[in-house]
Amino acid sequence: MAKKKTSADHIVLFGAGVAAAVLLGYLGISYKYFNETPVGCMDGYVTAVRFALQSSDGLPLSMIELQAQAGREEQGLMQNARIVNVESAPMPRVLEVRLDRADSTDPESDVGMHFPWRPDGSHRARSGCMRYSVYLPDDFDAPLPSMLPGMFGGPTPDRSELTSEDGFALRTRWTKDGDVQIIAQSKAVSDMGRLIISRPGAVRLERGRWVTLEQELVLNAPGVNDGKVNVWLNGIKVIERTGLKLREDESVGIDGVAATVGMIGKPGEIPTSDKARVRITPIDFGWR
């Protein structure tokens, strides 16, 4: 049976040092690890970009190029992440990120990595789709819950909280047991500004295998509780939450990805662990 071809055929590959965007057939460069490419929300997004780890000639980016692509607001990327080649991964080059601090002697050093990714043209989108795959080694051991990339709108959020009431964030968090939770943060959510969206046991990161997550956010119309969040795990929809309100007016939209990977907590209180490392594929992000 022929593989299903996604509408992300028009995906754009972005990389530091690349003189021009390169249009690529999506299936031609993507998830070779699977017999069938998992298809969730990305199937419905014609405009999509990839936070690339290699240039147009197929060579891996240098860490300086990677830092330049992440932007001036990046934290911990140079200290806690590196590009590695993995034959059994969905893509040939992935990021390996340590979730704690590279410098265990400095309690104020950056934990994991964090940077906002604002692709050109995505400003104030009504809906967005984000996709990446994650690998936890067999001996993975993180003593605290941790974050994975999520979407945001408005001012750049920090590692775990909003920095302003004029925006929102849709965080991806997983517990010590591997259960994935989606955390919606916005002054429009509730009095506490936080809503946990989860299905315990249904969305789990398993050790020793690649797991693909796709998340879709559709923002509410101003003043209406008609927003929704969908999550796919390896192409199977595992979460569908409707009736959400993350914004009060149309001036706030989806601006990009908060690329946060790391343990949750104050830097000085996060223990170091040589077994708290994950691998993550380049992030795909579509919007409309």
Side-chain angles (χ1 to χ4, degrees):
M1 181 177 66
K3 292 183 180 180
K4 184 176 181 181
K5 194 172 185 179
T6 75
S7 61
D9 285 336
H10 303 291
I11 199 162
V12 180
L13 179 64
F14 280 90
V18 179
V22 181
L23 292 176
L24 298 171
Y26 191 61
L27 294 180
I29 61 171
S30 67
Y31 288 63
K32 64 183 178 62
Y33 179 77
F34 300 97
N35 292 327
E36 293 290 337
T37 302
V39 176
C41 52
M42 196 62 71
D43 187 47
Y45 287 77
V46 174
T47 305
V49 296
R50 171 168 292 164
F51 189 86
L53 301 180
Q54 63 184 34
S55 60
S56 58
D57 58 8
L59 296 177
L61 299 182
S62 69
M63 290 305 295
I64 296 299
E65 290 173 323
L66 186 65
Q67 184 183 43
Q69 184 179 205
R72 292 181 298 175
E73 296 177 84
E74 70 87 7
Q75 302 170 16
L77 184 66
M78 299 291 283
Q79 298 79 21
N80 298 322
R82 64 187 184 115
I83 298 175
V84 297
N85 299 329
V86 183
E87 291 185 0
S88 60
M91 298 186 65
R93 292 187 175 91
V94 302
L95 266 185
E96 183 177 84
V97 185
R98 60 179 300 159
L99 304 180
D100 57 344
R101 305 185 309 274
D103 186 355
S104 60
T105 65
D106 182 5
E108 298 303 318
S109 61
D110 291 320
V111 173
M113 72 171 194
H114 168 71
F115 60 88
W117 179 35
R118 300 174 182 265
D120 291 340
S122 64
H123 184 54
R124 296 182 181 177
R126 170 71 190 280
S127 66
C129 172
M130 179 180 59
R131 166 176 165 162
Y132 52 81
S133 294
V134 181
Y135 180 85
L136 306 184
D138 289 324
D139 62 349
F140 176 81
D141 182 22
L144 295 174
S146 302
M147 287 286 194
L148 288 171
M151 287 176 273
F152 77 98
T156 300
D158 66 14
R159 290 180 59 253
S160 59
E161 300 294 338
L162 295 179
T163 56
S164 170
E165 291 187 350
D166 298 325
F168 69 88
L170 194 70
R171 307 282 190 174
T172 309
R173 180 176 72 182
W174 90 84
T175 67
K176 292 185 293 183
D177 296 327
D179 283 338
V180 175
Q181 302 173 332
I182 307 300
I183 313 296
Q185 298 173 333
S186 168
K187 67 177 182 180
V189 169
S190 66
D191 292 339
M192 300 299 293
R194 180 186 296 263
L195 175 67
I196 298 177
I197 303 170
S198 66
R199 283 183 58 197
V203 191
R204 180 177 290 270
L205 300 182
E206 299 181 25
R207 289 170 171 80
R209 65 186 296 259
W210 284 95
V211 176
T212 298
L213 284 170
E214 277 187 78
Q215 301 165 46
E216 181 179 39
L217 169 62
V218 179
L219 289 176
N220 61 286
V224 182
N225 293 359
D226 64 349
K228 62 181 180 180
V229 171
N230 297 312
V231 179
W232 289 262
L233 185 71
N234 293 334
I236 299 173
K237 184 181 283 190
V238 289
I239 291 178
E240 183 174 8
R241 182 67 178 265
T242 60
L244 299 178
K245 184 170 76 169
L246 295 183
R247 63 176 181 173
E248 300 287 358
D249 57 67
E250 290 184 346
S251 66
V252 177
I254 302 171
D255 291 328
V257 174
T260 305
V261 182
M263 292 188 206
I264 301 172
K266 297 180 180 179
E269 298 174 354
I270 292 178
T272 58
S273 173
D274 290 336
K275 296 182 179 180
R277 298 173 185 264
V278 301
R279 289 179 173 177
I280 181 170
T281 60
I283 301 167
D284 292 336
F285 176 61
W287 65 90
R288 59 173 183 247

